[in-house]
Amino acid sequence: MFLRKFALILMLPLSACLDVEADIKIGEDEVITADTTMVLGRQLFDMLQLVGPQAEGLCPADAERVETPDSVSCKSSDTSTIDEAIAEAETAKAEDPFLGEMELVRLDDERLKLSVPLDFENIEGRPAELTPDNPMFAMMASGLEGSEIVVRLHGLEIESSNGAISEDGTTVELVIPTVEVLQPSGTLPKTFEAVVKYRDCGFLGC
């Protein structure tokens, strides 16, 4: 499901261009659909083939893949129920310290609350040599300039969020410059927060 894929993206030891665009829809039937397109630099994609699980997580075997000499584009779709997503979030929190503050909970029969950490300074496993005085660090940061991780969350109504809510109130967008994962500037909030109303049960309830 998307939560695990999103976490994987944020914790990659990035060394080349990475653009991500994800649209996540929470349906009235409690089914979550996530359509994700990732464009990886050729160097990064080839490197990931050597580490197995990371490559599979970013570009599954059943993904729609377009390869060029410079990049690889992977488009995939995932579905799960709300209950499955909540269970996955709890598992991810237990397994990874960076995700310890992540939250996905029902507020009632109509609304979900989502909170995802963006405190990249505290990502576990960041190589100790990745410091500003390392020439390789500057090269990696330069290679990521202009790349973005764009996440859009869709529902019946976005009741509140610290992301950019659309004019019709049904979508919230989070844009993260990919270089922020490697070189945090302190301009992002510590967490991405959203309360999403995914259906209207009316006076009689659901």
Side-chain angles (χ1 to χ4, degrees):
M1 195 271 180
F2 179 76
L3 280 175
R4 189 169 294 278
K5 184 179 291 185
F6 183 57
L8 177 61
I9 294 164
L10 298 184
M11 291 179 285
L12 272 175
L14 299 171
S15 63
C17 177
L18 173 61
D19 280 290
V20 181
E21 187 168 349
D23 282 275
I24 308 163
K25 181 179 180 181
I26 304 175
E28 294 185 52
D29 57 358
E30 299 199 0
V31 173
I32 302 175
T33 303
D35 295 315
T36 309
T37 300
M38 303 189 186
V39 181
L40 296 87
R42 184 83 239 186
Q43 180 184 3
L44 175 59
F45 181 81
D46 291 342
M47 179 188 72
L48 289 176
Q49 304 314 297
L50 304 177
V51 296
Q54 285 184 322
E56 178 64 21
L58 287 174
C59 196
D62 60 351
E64 180 183 331
R65 184 181 300 181
V66 177
E67 300 191 37
T68 73
D70 298 322
S71 66
V72 178
S73 173
C74 294
K75 184 175 182 179
S76 60
S77 183
D78 301 280
T79 60
S80 70
T81 66
I82 289 175
D83 286 341
E84 288 170 344
I86 290 173
E88 183 191 29
E90 290 302 312
T91 299
K93 288 169 60 176
E95 292 177 349
D96 195 301
F98 176 70
L99 298 175
E101 300 302 316
M102 183 170 66
E103 187 177 24
L104 181 63
V105 296
R106 290 179 186 268
L107 297 181
D108 50 37
D109 289 338
E110 300 180 343
R111 299 178 301 155
L112 282 177
K113 179 182 178 182
L114 171 69
S115 178
V116 178
L118 301 177
D119 187 10
F120 301 125
E121 289 281 6
N122 295 319
I123 290 180
E124 291 287 326
R126 182 189 296 276
E129 64 272 16
L130 287 185
T131 58
D133 58 352
N134 185 332
M136 182 61 68
F137 180 95
M139 183 184 304
M140 293 168 66
S142 176
L144 291 173
E145 288 293 343
S147 297
E148 293 181 331
I149 299 169
V150 181
V151 181
R152 300 183 193 91
L153 186 60
H154 308 270
L156 186 65
E157 180 185 352
I158 308 300
E159 291 194 348
S160 64
S161 179
N162 58 352
I165 300 176
S166 63
E167 288 188 8
D168 65 3
T170 64
T171 300
V172 59
E173 182 178 84
L174 171 68
V175 179
I176 303 172
T178 312
V179 72
E180 285 282 339
V181 182
L182 179 67
Q183 191 176 33
S185 65
T187 59
L188 291 174
K190 293 296 184 182
T191 59
F192 168 62
E193 309 277 350
V195 174
V196 183
K197 182 177 182 179
Y198 58 92
R199 67 183 174 196
D200 187 350
C201 293
F203 293 112
L204 298 179
C206 296

